Amino acid sequence: MKKAVCILVTVILCLSMICCAAAENSSEEIDYTTGTPWVDIDLIGNVTADTPADPKDNFALWANKDRILSLKIPEGYLTAGDTVDLSEQADADTMAMFHGKVPENHDARLAYDYYYLLTDWATRDAIGVAPLKEMADVVEEIKSLDDLTEYLVHTPGEDRLFCFWRSEDRQDPENPGNSILSLRNSVFFIKDHAEYREMTAEGKYQKEVFASFFQKMLAKLGYSEEEARQKFDNCFAWETMMNSVDPAEGDSSSSEFTNDIDHIRTRNELMAISPNVPLLEALEKADGYPEMEKYFIQDPSFFERLNELYTEENLPLMRDFIILHGILDTAYVLDWESYVLLEECLAAIDHDDDAPALDKASYSETKAYDDVNIFLGWPVARLYVENYTDPRDKERISKLVDEIIHAYYGIIDKADFISEETRAGAYAKLDHLSKNVLYPDSWEPYSFEDVDFASKEEGGSLWEAFRAINKHEHKMAVSKAAGPYDRTVWSGFPFTPNCGYDPSVNGIFIYAAFARGNNYDPGMSDEELYAKVGAGIAHEISHAFDIEGSKYDKDGNINNWWTEEDRAAFLKKNEKLVAYYNAMHPWEGQDFDGENMKGEASADMAALKCILLIAAEKENFDYDAFFRAYADRYACLDTIEAAMIRLMDMHPMNYLRVNATLQQYDDFLNFYGITEGDNMYLAPEDRVAIW
Ligand SMILES: [Zn+2]
């Protein structure tokens, strides 16, 4: 992918994305035109006009030959095919919608207006760093610990430049239907906190990059070189003290960790951990959170340390910590110079040597689209949906989802390796599967209705818009923290050109931008619809029953619903599938990692089985059109770098996603008259589809 899209949380996405990252190149002696049982036909140069194509020998080649020969790898990519086209389409759609008619919908209009404020460099440069300086000056006025306490307790959350902790809602591990307020340490400069205890060359490098950034930003705010140096040293000293010991519990987001009830503290316990720091008063008076009975404390030792270090002596360090992090948080909504300094700093931290040089003249046609998403992902989604979706498509695809789920009941029903007990658990997952098609059914949870800011024409500024959005975010955070936990909330945006299954909510997400381009058009035949969107949906649902997804129950909790015996049989089937892929080679001397691919490969197989069950019920179903459309979805052209990246991907290579999947089923083999002795043939006892 060329452009980064902001994805919020954990959905396992379906399409593999080949980036422009360089991969290890192999030695020149390799003969890429060899392979077992098929040559890697996706690799550039392996298919020519003279290459013979026979459906019984290599179906993917036979079905896709013409398209492979016509594919051209676009500039900036390592591969060509539907995935790239979809990503390019999403980019083109995004650009067009900010230049189309002014939207009527309130939230869509916010995104639209924000884009023009973002790209209004004349106003941004005229305002410069003045609003940030004003906020920093308030912090400079903090002369005692009492002043600091006053600042934390009485400055409304959205008006504080920065804080020592972060608060967010999360699922209550003791009562999964409810939310609980989670408190955790604030962000530090260096992500790997161990660097603060024993600094490596990487830590030193990052420290220098940040020091240089702040030297320049603080100069813009009017500080002398010496003052700037001192402020950075103070801030860094504070971060080092705060990270002086290993966290008692890792700052991990692993599922085991997030389900840990040991992190829950009552109100009194929290007060006892941190009596010096006005944590609860700040949460309630400044942020507006209600008094709660209990809290989730990500790393209790963090608050103990904060309590110890919250002293008069450390005041200058804490003050500078707030100011410097405030700068880091706001530089990108200030003037051009601040924006560039921040972008260059972050690219240097990521060792992103390929980051394109920033150019003010082309900003509005390049980076601005991504920058709108940073704060206004949902309003952008609204704008996207207003422009590119039709409720009739949502209805058609939703019906398709229901049809596919119905077929899955049949698959589970006939699975002969599971007992009734396990079967009941699998049914329950289907019963509770949340279906998220194109865009949310209700926009209410994503609404920015209360946000208002003046547009460019009305004389507004990006800074004012930024502040208005901040206020909204705070309000939303407070309203979500107490009350029911909504696990149906979308964790990705509809303009994401992909689809996915999220085991932690037991839900599938078919984003609107996935149903574009070659994947979907309202005029396509049922056969094409089943082969493209249908197989995609069925693939995602099957992740509920793959090796990872099967660890989660109907509610998205890690919870075993398998009998010991059934689980053993399931693992054995997975092993057979791994061995099947391990026996293949894209070219001689190159192995596949079947272990890595088993989840995605089994999802492809279950998906195809599901669609074939549906097809069997249809009159005059055009199997040839269906199988060709199925193959077409995976037609691609890879450079050797892309092929090397695919070898590490969890998805099998595209030609295998066609051939290895199709050869599992008699419906396919019989239709094309494929029998023993044909390369596409797989004997029933050698088949590896798990479901
Ligand atoms: Zn998948």
Side-chain angles (χ1 to χ4, degrees):
M1 263 191 86
K2 231 157 87 182
K3 192 193 275 185
V5 212
C6 187
I7 296 183
L8 297 176
V9 216
T10 51
V11 182
I12 297 162
L13 294 167
C14 153
L15 302 175
S16 49
M17 293 295 178
I18 306 287
C19 316
C20 305
E24 289 281 306
N25 220 331
S26 328
S27 97
E28 281 163 25
E29 289 138 48
I30 295 168
D31 181 0
Y32 294 106
T33 65
T34 58
T36 333
W38 304 284
V39 169
D40 176 7
I41 59 160
D42 306 333
L43 186 59
I44 200 163
N46 272 359
V47 177
T48 67
D50 299 332
T51 310
D54 178 346
K56 297 181 185 187
D57 175 58
N58 185 337
F59 185 81
L61 171 62
W62 177 76
N64 290 341
K65 185 178 169 186
D66 290 346
R67 186 155 175 228
I68 291 172
L69 290 174
S70 72
L71 282 171
K72 300 227 169 0
I73 298 175
E75 216 190 303
Y77 287 91
L78 299 173
T79 182
D82 278 6
T83 310
V84 169
D85 292 350
L86 213 55
S87 164
E88 290 277 275
Q89 172 90 50
D91 286 356
D93 287 345
T94 306
M95 285 185 205
M97 73 192 187
F98 285 107
H99 298 287
K101 64 174 173 30
V102 182
E104 276 169 27
N105 173 273
H106 172 271
D107 287 6
R109 178 69 196 262
L110 279 186
Y112 190 89
D113 286 345
Y114 191 80
Y115 170 83
Y116 288 97
L117 292 171
L118 202 57
T119 54
D120 179 11
W121 289 109
T123 306
R124 290 179 68 172
D125 287 346
I127 293 171
V129 296
L132 169 62
K133 181 159 171 34
E134 209 175 288
M135 289 177 89
D137 286 348
V138 173
V139 180
E140 291 290 5
E141 284 309 306
I142 296 171
K143 303 292 183 203
S144 66
L145 203 57
D146 286 346
D147 285 353
L148 179 57
T149 297
E150 174 75 16
Y151 177 79
L152 294 173
V153 174
H154 292 293
T155 317
E158 68 268 19
D159 293 339
R160 268 190 321 241
L161 195 49
F162 201 69
C163 193
F164 299 106
W165 58 83
R166 283 177 282 174
S167 52
E168 63 208 347
D169 79 299
R170 53 154 290 147
Q171 190 171 26
D172 180 352
E174 284 180 328
N175 187 353
N178 281 354
S179 291
I180 185 167
L181 186 64
S182 165
L183 300 170
R184 61 193 301 191
N185 57 299
S186 61
V187 175
F188 297 109
F189 292 148
I190 301 181
K191 273 190 202 128
D192 180 1
H193 296 175
E195 289 284 358
Y196 290 99
R197 295 183 284 279
E198 199 178 331
M199 199 160 272
T200 66
E202 175 59 26
K204 283 180 195 148
Y205 163 78
Q206 293 195 21
K207 186 180 175 188
E208 271 169 38
V209 171
F210 279 118
S212 157
F213 166 75
F214 283 111
Q215 198 58 240
K216 291 168 196 153
M217 281 304 296
L218 287 164
K220 282 171 73 67
L221 285 160
Y223 294 98
S224 72
E225 207 172 302
E226 184 47 41
E227 285 168 335
R229 194 168 303 121
Q230 185 63 56
K231 289 189 114 52
F232 181 76
D233 289 348
N234 280 352
C235 183
F236 209 84
W238 173 259
E239 295 198 355
T240 305
M241 289 198 301
M242 282 304 298
N243 289 291
S244 57
V245 289
D246 273 316
E249 311 276 347
D251 190 15
S252 155
S253 57
S254 77
S255 321
E256 281 87 339
F257 177 81
T258 52
N259 283 327
D260 194 346
I261 59 166
D262 294 344
H263 292 260
I264 293 182
R265 296 289 182 278
T266 64
R267 203 180 151 73
N268 286 338
E269 283 168 342
L270 187 55
M271 269 194 276
I273 293 173
S274 193
N276 303 335
V277 182
L279 180 58
L280 287 168
E281 294 98 302
L283 287 171
E284 285 150 21
K285 292 196 178 116
D287 294 313
Y289 286 107
E291 275 187 28
M292 296 178 206
E293 277 170 29
K294 59 182 188 180
Y295 300 82
F296 187 93
I297 312 299
Q298 193 96 338
D299 171 13
S301 66
F302 167 83
F303 287 98
E304 285 162 19
R305 238 170 9 262
L306 180 61
N307 188 62
E308 249 170 61
L309 297 172
Y310 192 79
T311 62
E312 206 75 52
E313 190 193 344
N314 289 330
L315 186 65
L317 278 54
M318 292 189 273
R319 209 165 44 202
D320 290 337
F321 174 79
I322 294 174
I323 293 175
L324 267 62
H325 277 277
I327 293 173
L328 199 59
D329 267 9
T330 53
Y332 66 101
V333 288
L334 299 171
D335 58 337
W336 176 253
E337 205 182 355
S338 303
Y339 178 80
V340 172
L341 284 173
L342 179 64
E343 286 284 323
E344 288 177 351
C345 167
L346 298 180
I349 292 295
D350 288 345
H351 297 275
D352 183 1
D353 303 329
D354 297 331
L358 294 160
D359 168 42
K360 203 191 228 178
S362 64
Y363 172 81
S364 63
E365 296 307 314
T366 51
K367 257 199 116 281
Y369 304 113
D370 285 341
D371 288 349
V372 187
N373 296 348
I374 293 175
F375 268 116
L376 291 182
W378 279 106
V380 170
R382 197 69 197 259
L383 182 61
Y384 181 90
V385 166
E386 300 275 313
N387 274 279
Y388 304 113
T389 62
D390 184 322
R392 283 169 297 186
D393 297 332
K394 184 171 162 79
E395 204 186 318
R396 188 181 185 196
I397 296 174
S398 296
K399 272 193 188 142
L400 183 61
V401 170
D402 290 338
E403 203 179 6
I404 289 167
I405 292 175
H406 180 77
Y408 264 108
Y409 279 102
I411 290 178
I412 300 295
D413 191 36
K414 289 195 180 58
D416 57 8
F417 67 98
I418 52 173
S419 63
E420 287 312 308
E421 195 183 334
T422 304
R423 204 180 314 280
Y427 284 150
K429 284 201 82 167
L430 287 173
D431 292 342
H432 286 80
L433 185 79
S434 84
K435 302 167 275 186
N436 305 287
V437 177
L438 303 192
Y439 52 86
D441 295 337
S442 161
W443 287 100
E444 213 203 305
Y446 317 96
S447 170
F448 277 60
E449 202 62 45
D450 62 322
V451 180
D452 240 334
F453 51 76
S455 69
K456 184 183 170 186
E457 284 70 37
E458 293 160 344
S461 72
L462 181 65
W463 181 263
E464 287 162 13
F466 165 73
R467 303 279 292 147
I469 296 163
N470 241 339
K471 197 170 174 183
H472 165 83
E473 294 292 353
H474 260 90
K475 215 174 101 184
M476 289 300 288
V478 171
S479 77
K480 280 198 286 187
Y485 181 76
D486 186 359
R487 55 164 80 228
T488 65
V489 164
W490 284 51
S491 50
F493 297 116
F495 52 77
T496 312
N498 217 328
C499 50
Y501 172 76
D502 184 347
S504 72
V505 300
N506 187 28
I508 53 160
F509 292 84
I510 313 301
Y511 301 113
F514 175 76
R516 294 280 288 165
N518 195 28
N519 268 352
Y520 177 79
D521 82 72
M524 75 193 338
S525 67
D526 278 351
E527 283 80 3
E528 280 180 284
L529 183 73
Y530 286 123
K532 295 189 170 178
V533 184
I537 293 166
H539 171 109
E540 297 313 334
I541 295 175
S542 126
H543 278 311
F545 307 105
D546 74 9
I547 194 92
E548 278 307 308
S550 60
K551 293 176 186 163
Y552 293 77
D553 68 8
K554 64 181 173 55
D555 297 317
N557 297 319
I558 291 195
N559 193 1
N560 183 34
W561 45 273
W562 294 72
T563 65
E564 214 170 291
E565 203 175 307
D566 293 350
R567 189 77 188 170
F570 176 66
L571 295 178
K572 213 166 169 200
K573 277 174 158 271
N574 272 278
E575 276 168 30
K576 189 177 174 188
L577 183 137
V578 169
Y580 164 78
Y581 281 97
N582 283 346
M584 299 187 192
H585 306 277
W587 50 86
E588 290 318 316
Q590 177 64 58
D591 294 332
F592 286 117
D593 183 356
E595 185 64 30
N596 184 38
M597 294 173 349
K598 63 187 176 195
E600 294 299 334
S602 78
D604 282 345
M605 290 175 190
L608 182 64
K609 180 172 184 176
C610 171
I611 303 291
L612 288 172
L613 282 175
I614 295 171
E617 303 290 314
K618 305 265 171 198
E619 256 179 60
N620 303 322
F621 189 80
D622 185 344
Y623 279 95
D624 186 49
F626 169 74
F627 288 125
R628 282 168 180 272
Y630 184 85
D632 179 65
R633 197 176 151 213
Y634 296 109
C636 72
L637 193 64
D638 288 342
T639 59
I640 184 64
E641 289 90 344
M644 300 311 286
I645 294 169
R646 283 195 200 275
L647 284 172
M648 294 178 285
D649 197 279
M650 288 162 79
H651 302 81
M653 283 186 167
N654 278 16
Y655 73 97
L656 284 186
R657 296 188 75 175
V658 178
N659 287 350
T661 309
L662 289 174
Q663 71 172 178
Q664 306 299 323
Y665 299 105
D666 283 333
D667 288 346
F668 166 76
L669 300 171
N670 294 342
F671 183 80
Y672 290 101
I674 296 165
T675 53
E676 216 174 330
D678 291 326
N679 201 29
M680 281 297 296
Y681 183 75
L682 190 68
E685 63 273 21
D686 296 329
R687 296 184 195 165
V688 295
I690 290 166
W691 291 100

